[in-house]
Amino acid sequence: MPFQPEPAYSHGQPASTAIVLANLGTPDAPDAPALRRYLAEFLGDHRVVEIPKPIWWLILHGIILRVRPKKSAAKYASIWTPEGSPLKVYTERQAKLLQGALGERGHQVTVRYAMRYGNPSIPSVLNELKAEGATRVLVLPAYPQYSGTTTASVVDGVMNWARKVRNLPELRFINRYHDDAGYINALAKRVREHWMLNGQGERLVMSFHGVPERTLHLGDPYHCECFKTARLLAEALGLPRERVVVTFQSRFGKAKWLEPYTEPTLVALAQQGIKRVDVMCPGFTSDCLETLEEINMEVREAFLHAGGERFDYIPCLNDTPAWASALADLAERHLQGWPTREADNPAERAESRQRALALGAKR
């Protein structure tokens, strides 16, 4: 396999550091052709669907990609904004806020966002950063809880790019931050602000994205990390155990997934006489189809239809200041040892000043 051409390099070029905030992805538009391209890439990832490839290829291309794109496009259209997909909008804002927060702390770091599936792709963003001279890259997945289906797939995306590159930058990965104090505090602040404006429901339901149950038995820590996040958040909010409900959503296919499932649980709560619930999705750092359409539309309707009277959805962390600060804290810890301030590397500082003086003399 041939390597990609290397960008132009000049001796004495200072080393630089970049952060890639990597999210799952989104179609380019809420229409069937865009959904077909997106779903083919997403569902074609063996990390996401572990069925043997020849069998899954026939199912995916023979059935799913013929039927699902049109249905999914209608759902995406219901949450699409003038700026585009909410997930892309919020992820881009988070990257800008992270760059700003780190800059205020004195770090000279470039922050970009990338999507594991769709655009801007991980390879395209890494190519841009490499062309700009980045020699150190910290990859920060937008998934607080580690899963082979998400976090590991981001690593795959980076390594697939790396196999085609001759002169690799230094790479670091953040695997998980499900119990990070800043993340938990940002979630708690989000909930408290909602309660101040709207009051409290009888139950706080925390809905996490589901994965097949077999992944738990095969050693994936996702299930345990979701429950630890929920426990820490409940403790931060001072909620007794009986007022907190943890569920899993977005089941796909006929296999058994992590339980309890979100929609049936909300229906059961309504049938048991619970009239008002607060629902949030702590595992999603940006609002998206799964939160805005699946939870705040489909699950809301099911709860109210079953006898519930009030369903309050608490938005994701999105572009809140508390989350931007937590991201900056997280990034700072994982950037340790890399010179991201001018004073961190006297040699680079001296070289930079010599080049500036030389340029000034020529002018």
Side-chain angles (χ1 to χ4, degrees):
M1 179 176 62
F3 295 112
Q4 297 176 172
E6 286 293 317
Y9 174 79
S10 59
H11 289 285
Q13 181 176 318
S16 63
T17 301
I19 298 173
V20 176
L21 179 63
N23 212 329
L24 184 80
T26 178
D28 294 323
D31 58 38
L35 261 298
R36 191 169 292 109
R37 292 192 301 272
Y38 172 71
L39 290 174
E41 185 179 9
F42 173 42
L43 297 177
D45 186 350
H46 189 59
R47 289 280 190 183
V48 176
V49 181
E50 295 186 41
I51 297 173
K53 285 188 176 182
I55 297 174
W56 179 240
W57 192 95
L58 291 174
I59 297 172
L60 178 61
H61 292 272
I63 301 173
I64 294 173
L65 294 181
R66 295 175 183 270
V67 177
R68 190 164 177 175
K70 185 176 180 180
K71 293 180 180 179
S72 295
K75 293 183 177 183
Y76 272 100
S78 71
I79 57 112
W80 212 258
T81 75
E83 298 174 82
S85 161
L87 181 141
K88 186 173 182 178
V89 169
Y90 285 122
T91 305
E92 182 176 15
R93 290 180 187 175
Q94 289 169 359
K96 291 179 179 177
L97 288 170
L98 176 57
Q99 170 122 27
L102 290 172
E104 290 175 356
R105 301 181 187 191
H107 296 283
Q108 299 175 347
V109 176
T110 299
V111 181
R112 299 283 168 77
Y113 76 98
M115 301 297 179
R116 178 62 180 93
Y117 317 104
N119 298 303
S121 69
I122 288 175
S124 69
V125 171
L126 290 172
N127 282 334
E128 289 175 5
L129 290 171
K130 195 171 189 307
E132 294 170 13
T135 54
R136 299 176 289 256
V137 179
L138 172 65
V139 181
L140 200 174
Y143 319 120
Q145 296 77 26
Y146 176 94
S147 173
T149 62
T150 52
T151 315
S153 184
V154 166
V155 177
D156 287 348
V158 174
M159 291 307 171
N160 289 339
W161 169 82
R163 281 199 290 266
K164 302 174 185 177
V165 174
R166 185 180 302 277
N167 186 12
L168 282 170
E170 292 182 69
L171 295 168
R172 290 182 183 175
F173 299 89
I174 298 178
N175 270 18
R176 53 176 53 78
Y177 44 96
H178 63 289
D179 55 357
D180 175 74
Y183 163 63
I184 298 298
N185 290 337
L187 289 172
K189 191 173 189 298
R190 193 63 150 160
V191 176
R192 291 192 194 100
E193 289 173 347
H194 174 83
W195 284 347
M196 286 179 63
L197 293 174
N198 303 281
Q200 295 187 26
E202 299 169 69
R203 297 288 186 276
L204 176 62
V205 179
M206 303 184 198
S207 179
F208 294 86
H209 198 289
V211 295
E213 187 185 76
R214 66 186 295 271
T215 63
L216 168 63
H217 303 303
L218 291 172
D220 196 304
Y222 178 74
H223 174 268
C224 299
E225 294 186 4
C226 288
F227 272 94
K228 186 170 184 181
T229 295
R231 176 177 60 80
L232 293 174
L233 179 54
E235 290 174 358
L237 293 169
L239 285 176
R241 182 176 299 179
E242 61 270 17
R243 286 190 56 193
V244 177
V245 180
V246 178
T247 64
F248 296 90
Q249 64 183 85
S250 308
R251 181 185 176 192
F252 177 75
K254 296 182 179 180
K256 185 177 181 182
W257 281 39
L258 295 180
E259 293 180 320
Y261 301 139
T262 299
E263 185 172 316
T265 299
L266 266 295
V267 168
L269 287 174
Q271 292 172 343
Q272 292 163 15
I274 300 297
K275 298 299 182 184
R276 180 178 175 183
V277 293
D278 297 321
V279 183
M280 66 185 304
C281 301
F284 296 87
T285 52
S286 296
D287 271 310
C288 55
L289 182 74
E290 287 80 3
T291 65
L292 298 174
E293 195 279 334
E294 182 181 357
I295 296 299
N296 202 29
M297 294 183 188
E298 293 182 13
V299 175
R300 170 191 293 275
E301 182 180 354
F303 175 74
L304 297 177
H305 183 74
E309 295 180 357
R310 181 166 173 176
F311 180 106
D312 281 6
Y313 171 66
I314 301 174
C316 294
L317 294 172
N318 294 333
D319 54 358
T320 56
W323 178 227
S325 179
L327 277 175
D329 290 342
L330 185 67
E332 271 192 320
R333 289 198 298 275
H334 288 268
L335 288 170
Q336 288 185 24
W338 280 353
T340 59
R341 295 182 175 92
E342 188 178 4
D344 288 341
N345 193 324
E348 288 184 11
R349 183 177 69 243
E351 288 180 9
S352 178
R353 287 177 178 173
Q354 288 176 358
R355 283 192 299 273
L357 289 171
L359 287 172
K362 288 180 181 179
R363 291 174 183 171

